Amino acid sequence: MPEFAERKWSTRPVHPYYQRERFTVKAGEYRKYFREEILGSFDDPMLPPNAQTRKIYNKEKWTGYEVVLDVYPDLIASGILLVPKNLKPGEKRPVVVCQHGRSDTPNKLVEGNNTAYNNVAAKLADRGFVVYAPQNPYRFEDRYRWLSRKGNTIKKTLFSFIVSQHEQTIKWLGSLPFVDKKRIAFYGLSYGGETAMRVPAVLEGYCLSICSGDFGDWTRKVVDVNWTGSFMNSLEWEMPYFNMGNTFSYAEMAYLIFPRPFMVERGHHDLVQPDEWVSYEFGKVRNFYDRFNLGDKTEIEFFNGGHSMRSEGTFKFLQKHLSWPK
């Protein structure tokens, strides 16, 4: 494969219509609509995080901790935190939040050489990033879908819970003395890639997002009855969201992430969606960023491979936009 190359973008004058400040103000209205009307949101006051931790890894370059945070009286957030050992007193490092896919656990991003994750969390920690791998609730088939179905009766979805968990997680990470709260990035695969589209679109505390193994034409992925890989032909019956096909596909979610950096990682042999669907949808994102003269903030990397975090172009993207390693 050719070496990952940085694209050069023009600095031509931006058309008066494409003023970043004008768009970001208006985007706040759409972000609110997306969270409340599509994903569903809780307005309950959050509990203090009351973080509970225990050491589970002691590696040459970093230490790993299991973490549990309170969110609401009947909801927690949990994950694995990897802290580099070469932190200097008073130093604040960027964080990469690495999100697993369906039915998996955070430790698969850390160890085991799983072919989907390739130990991405450990590799980032080796490079000096603070890394956090959350446990999302899409585990124990088919029980998490029951939660989604129950939530639908009160205008909620599975992501109503996930967004609240990540909101508490961002607050807690930002409170750590060695964390730069303005540089907390998101990198997710599969259902974690689905999370990489929805959560940063809602929570501006994530400074950038990388969607791996999930990006594409979401509406077609949900409703196509002819393509064998659509949700019409799978057991994932929780995927339709009320009126989402009429409002937000993945390009529109990326518009809500704008002007923060956004990247897609795509294996040619990934069966989630065809390359053509992925390219078509990302073309809208690339066009959008470029019209604001911010084309250098969005990338897509295609590679010969399947449903996995290849972590070559993505690592360079993180290094570039998080300014680490220095």
Side-chain angles (χ1 to χ4, degrees):
M1 293 296 290
E3 187 69 21
F4 183 81
E6 182 178 345
R7 289 177 286 113
K8 303 297 183 182
W9 294 87
S10 70
T11 56
R12 66 183 184 277
V14 177
H15 189 281
Y17 182 80
Y18 293 99
Q19 297 297 325
R20 184 175 68 179
E21 294 76 13
R22 181 173 180 262
F23 176 82
T24 52
V25 169
K26 190 66 177 177
E29 301 174 20
Y30 290 96
R31 184 174 291 109
K32 183 174 185 291
Y33 183 91
F34 181 57
R35 181 171 188 175
E36 295 180 358
E37 300 298 325
I38 305 300
L39 302 182
S41 65
F42 294 109
D43 54 11
D44 305 62
M46 282 191 176
L47 298 170
N50 187 31
Q52 302 178 64
T53 64
R54 65 173 181 176
K55 185 188 292 187
I56 57 173
Y57 295 110
N58 185 19
K59 302 296 184 180
E60 179 184 356
K61 294 184 178 181
W62 46 267
T63 307
Y65 302 88
E66 199 169 51
V67 178
V68 177
L69 307 173
D70 291 335
V71 181
Y72 301 128
D74 295 312
L75 182 65
I76 63 169
S78 64
I80 295 174
L81 178 71
L82 308 183
V83 182
K85 290 183 175 180
N86 63 349
L87 282 163
K88 297 179 176 64
E91 183 183 12
K92 292 183 180 291
R93 295 269 180 99
V95 181
V96 182
V97 174
C98 297
Q99 188 65 70
H100 63 79
R102 190 181 99 200
S103 297
D104 274 338
T105 56
N107 67 293
K108 286 191 177 181
L109 292 122
V110 179
E111 60 183 346
N113 293 313
N114 184 285
T115 56
Y117 306 114
N118 297 306
N119 293 358
V120 62
K123 289 177 181 177
L124 286 166
D126 284 342
R127 292 178 176 226
F129 290 97
V130 176
V131 181
Y132 188 72
Q135 175 69 66
N136 264 5
Y138 38 72
R139 182 160 167 76
F140 302 118
E141 310 275 349
D142 213 27
R143 293 183 62 181
Y144 69 86
R145 295 192 177 95
W146 304 348
L147 180 63
S148 178
R149 181 174 60 189
K150 291 176 182 178
N152 289 166
T153 66
I154 54 170
K155 199 180 174 181
K156 304 292 185 287
T157 67
L158 189 64
F159 274 94
S160 306
F161 302 92
I162 292 173
V163 168
S164 292
Q165 289 174 317
H166 280 266
E167 188 171 11
Q168 185 74 303
T169 296
I170 292 172
K171 289 179 182 176
W172 177 72
L173 287 171
S175 73
L176 299 177
F178 50 84
V179 164
D180 183 348
K181 65 181 180 181
K182 293 183 179 180
R183 292 189 292 167
I184 302 177
F186 196 98
Y187 181 13
L189 172 73
S190 195
Y191 220 135
E194 190 172 326
T195 308
M197 297 306 305
R198 289 155 181 76
V199 173
V202 168
L203 300 181
E204 296 178 271
Y206 282 123
C207 70
L208 67 79
S209 185
I210 301 173
C211 175
S212 180
D214 193 72
F215 189 87
D217 187 341
W218 177 258
T219 304
R220 189 171 179 182
K221 167 78 173 178
V222 173
V223 304
D224 196 308
V225 296
N226 297 310
W227 183 57
T228 56
S230 83
F231 291 130
M232 288 289 106
N233 298 305
S234 79
L235 55 79
E236 296 157 280
W237 49 262
E238 84 281 9
M239 289 303 181
Y241 293 77
F242 182 76
N243 202 34
M244 188 166 167
N246 192 44
T247 52
F248 293 90
S249 189
Y250 274 24
E252 288 74 26
M253 293 180 218
Y255 301 165
L256 296 183
I257 294 171
F258 176 88
R260 292 165 286 166
F262 172 71
M263 182 175 178
V264 172
E265 185 179 43
R266 162 71 189 179
H268 285 304
H269 308 298
D270 193 327
L271 300 179
V272 168
Q273 291 197 32
D275 272 351
E276 294 81 1
W277 297 10
V278 176
S279 300
Y280 172 79
E281 194 72 9
F282 184 76
K284 292 185 280 185
V285 178
R286 175 175 285 175
N287 176 277
F288 183 82
Y289 272 74
D290 195 33
R291 285 180 181 271
F292 288 89
N293 271 353
L294 293 174
D296 61 334
K297 287 193 172 184
T298 188
E299 300 282 356
I300 187 168
E301 182 187 23
F302 291 94
F303 63 92
N304 282 325
H307 194 61
S308 69
M309 290 168 141
R310 183 168 180 250
S311 306
E312 291 191 16
T314 52
F315 278 21
K316 293 179 181 180
F317 190 80
L318 289 167
Q319 180 178 345
K320 173 183 176 182
H321 294 288
L322 296 179
S323 301
W324 185 268
K326 296 181 180 179

